[in-house]
Amino acid sequence: MTTPVIIVPGILGTRLVNSTGRSIWDPDEGWTFDNGRGLLQLRDMRNAARPNPRAKPAVERLLRHRGVVNGGNLVWDRGYGNLVTALSGPRFAATCGGRVKLYCAGYDWRQSNIDSARRLRLVVERALRETGARRVVLVAHSMGGLVSRLFCRFSRIGGRPGSDVVARLILLGSPVHGASKAYRVLRQSLVEADSSELLSDIQLDETTEGAVGAFAGRALASLARRIPSAYELLPTRAFCSANPGWLQFDHRRAGLTNAADPARVYRNRVTGIDGDPALLRMRDGLDRGLGSYVPAQSVVLYSSQLPTETHFRIDRSGNLRRHGSAVANRGDGTVPVFSGSAAASRTSSLVREDLRSVDHGGLANSPAAIARIQHYLAALCRPAAAPEVSRAIGF
């Protein structure tokens, strides 16, 4: 039986075209936020967008040759090219006895992840229909993990819950409990950050990193505040409750005792976000409905050894600044350890592996992560051949 494997990219990881087929987001063709191409169209949520079905000619030939479905959806050179190539290659096919068929589930990463989960359902239905399998494997990077968790929790296919049609969910640096960086981005940039430095970071490190870090800077905060997905990456109730010191501020001025209740923090006159109230309400509902849910059959791959924005303080002038020790501010450079490791999840059967120093943007293409993904896929195809899993690996 063929096992359908579906790659679910993170934010910024899908190449987008508008209703006329014109490209509005494509880092593979030089589209970045710092040169302004497509920014106005991206900001206008009335402009419908869909994944770009076409890749570059050389990539297109490879995808057709290897039978990859919708591979042109994904950002390739600076996103998911290595992962797609590895999982569709002849060597890995031989390891799995030719029992894997690869699909790519791109989506309009600006919209709510609830809508993206509905689109993922269509890809899952197609994969089940074409392969005759009863279950799929989801490989989800960054915000793609939120899309996949929503699918597992709320979707139904043929009367079966979404979680029942997923044999394995592999999360790569997914902000299960949100990311503090999203709060900084939606509030606008840190006051000590130089704008040219931020734009350089965007261009070199975060164009397709699958997290809201690429929206850093005042010129781009206006985009983040218009798109539902950015709000849905804010630190969750579980994160704030477990880390009430993640945000320091004048409690008397704010009328808050701590930052443990995100719904109040994000609306407060001192600590709040000057964003869309409707999108904040949507975020609150998603947080209450999904919570820390992670399917029992999940593998959580995360990094813990890189400096990561985790703690902030609001000074007397209302400016946001970094705060906390180097030990506290750890993760994969974007997603804190607590969130990336799904620390608040009560699912006892979760498998967690610490990839240590693999950065967030490079997770999907890193040899370390790809090797572990291949391990778990091989284990599904040939259970008897799978070696014992190590829970923490240093690369």
Side-chain angles (χ1 to χ4, degrees):
M1 176 68 72
T2 298
T3 299
V5 177
I6 302 173
I7 297 176
V8 189
I11 195 170
L12 311 181
T14 301
R15 303 161 62 242
L16 298 178
V17 295
N18 63 16
S19 57
T20 66
R22 180 182 178 184
S23 180
I24 62 173
W25 173 251
D26 191 346
D28 287 344
E29 298 297 334
W31 293 69
T32 56
F33 286 120
D34 54 316
N35 62 28
R37 294 179 65 185
L39 184 58
L40 292 178
Q41 292 193 65
L42 286 171
R43 285 180 57 183
D44 189 352
M45 289 300 294
R46 295 171 299 178
N47 287 337
R50 66 181 190 277
N52 191 344
R54 297 184 179 181
K56 294 184 293 185
V59 173
E60 197 73 50
R61 287 195 296 272
L62 174 67
L63 296 174
R64 284 202 305 269
H65 173 68
R66 297 189 172 181
V68 179
V69 180
N70 291 334
N73 287 181
L74 305 185
V75 172
W76 188 264
D77 293 336
R78 304 182 67 177
Y80 302 94
N82 290 350
L83 178 61
V84 174
T85 302
L87 297 187
S88 63
R91 180 180 297 181
F92 181 62
T95 301
C96 294
R99 298 186 179 95
V100 168
K101 184 173 179 61
L102 195 61
Y103 293 77
C104 300
Y107 55 92
D108 182 354
W109 40 262
R110 304 172 306 162
Q111 65 187 359
S112 170
N113 290 286
I114 297 171
D115 297 319
S116 300
R118 296 189 183 106
R119 184 178 183 88
L120 174 58
R121 176 187 170 181
L122 299 178
V123 179
V124 171
E125 289 176 332
R126 174 180 177 179
L128 295 176
R129 182 174 63 252
E130 292 181 350
T131 63
R134 282 187 52 79
R135 296 193 295 174
V136 304
V137 175
L138 301 180
V139 179
H141 176 231
S142 194
M143 192 175 78
L146 178 52
V147 175
S148 300
R149 289 166 55 225
L150 284 164
F151 167 80
C152 291
R153 179 71 177 85
F154 297 112
S155 293
R156 298 189 72 83
I157 293 181
R160 299 163 63 195
S163 59
D164 189 49
V165 300
V166 175
R168 180 74 81 180
L169 169 58
I170 302 176
L171 298 174
L172 293 169
S174 182
V176 174
H177 310 307
S180 306
K181 182 180 269 189
Y183 175 77
R184 184 261 285 175
V185 168
L186 286 165
R187 256 189 83 98
Q188 293 187 345
S189 61
L190 289 160
V191 295
E192 64 261 38
D194 176 75
S195 59
S196 60
E197 176 185 331
L198 288 170
L199 292 176
S200 175
D201 287 346
I202 293 166
Q203 183 177 12
L204 296 178
D205 299 325
E206 298 179 331
T207 299
T208 61
E209 77 158 14
V212 293
F215 292 131
R218 294 182 182 277
L220 304 172
S222 61
L223 170 60
R225 287 198 295 271
R226 289 170 183 263
I227 64 176
S229 60
Y231 291 78
E232 295 167 1
L233 291 173
L234 284 163
T236 66
R237 180 176 295 274
F239 180 92
C240 296
S241 296
N243 304 275
W246 75 274
L247 182 63
Q248 299 289 323
F249 52 89
D250 186 326
H251 303 296
R252 288 178 297 180
R253 243 180 93 222
L256 297 175
T257 56
N258 56 44
D261 184 350
R264 296 185 64 193
V265 167
Y266 302 149
R267 290 171 172 78
N268 186 271
R269 62 187 178 86
V270 173
T271 63
I273 294 168
D274 183 22
D276 188 326
L279 296 184
L280 280 171
R281 288 193 297 271
M282 184 184 298
R283 187 224 72 90
D284 295 344
L286 188 148
D287 193 357
R288 289 192 301 270
L290 186 64
S292 301
Y293 167 78
V294 179
Q297 65 274 35
S298 299
V299 174
V300 180
L301 303 179
Y302 66 100
S303 292
S304 65
Q305 299 299 312
L306 298 178
T308 302
E309 291 181 334
T310 303
H311 291 70
F312 299 104
R313 66 181 177 87
I314 298 174
D315 65 21
R316 292 182 179 179
S317 299
N319 296 314
L320 193 67
R321 299 180 181 273
R322 292 186 180 93
H323 179 68
S325 67
V327 175
N329 289 275
R330 306 302 288 180
D332 64 15
T334 294
V335 178
V337 173
F338 183 87
S339 186
S341 65
S345 173
R346 297 181 180 179
T347 306
S348 60
S349 59
L350 288 185
V351 177
R352 296 178 171 91
E353 293 197 33
D354 184 357
L355 301 179
R356 300 192 185 281
S357 298
V358 181
D359 72 276
H360 186 81
L363 264 172
N365 271 342
S366 75
I370 290 173
R372 301 315 296 158
I373 294 168
Q374 290 178 321
H375 165 85
Y376 288 107
L377 292 178
L380 284 174
C381 295
R382 295 183 175 179
E388 184 178 350
V389 177
S390 172
R391 294 303 181 94
I393 308 167
F395 288 88

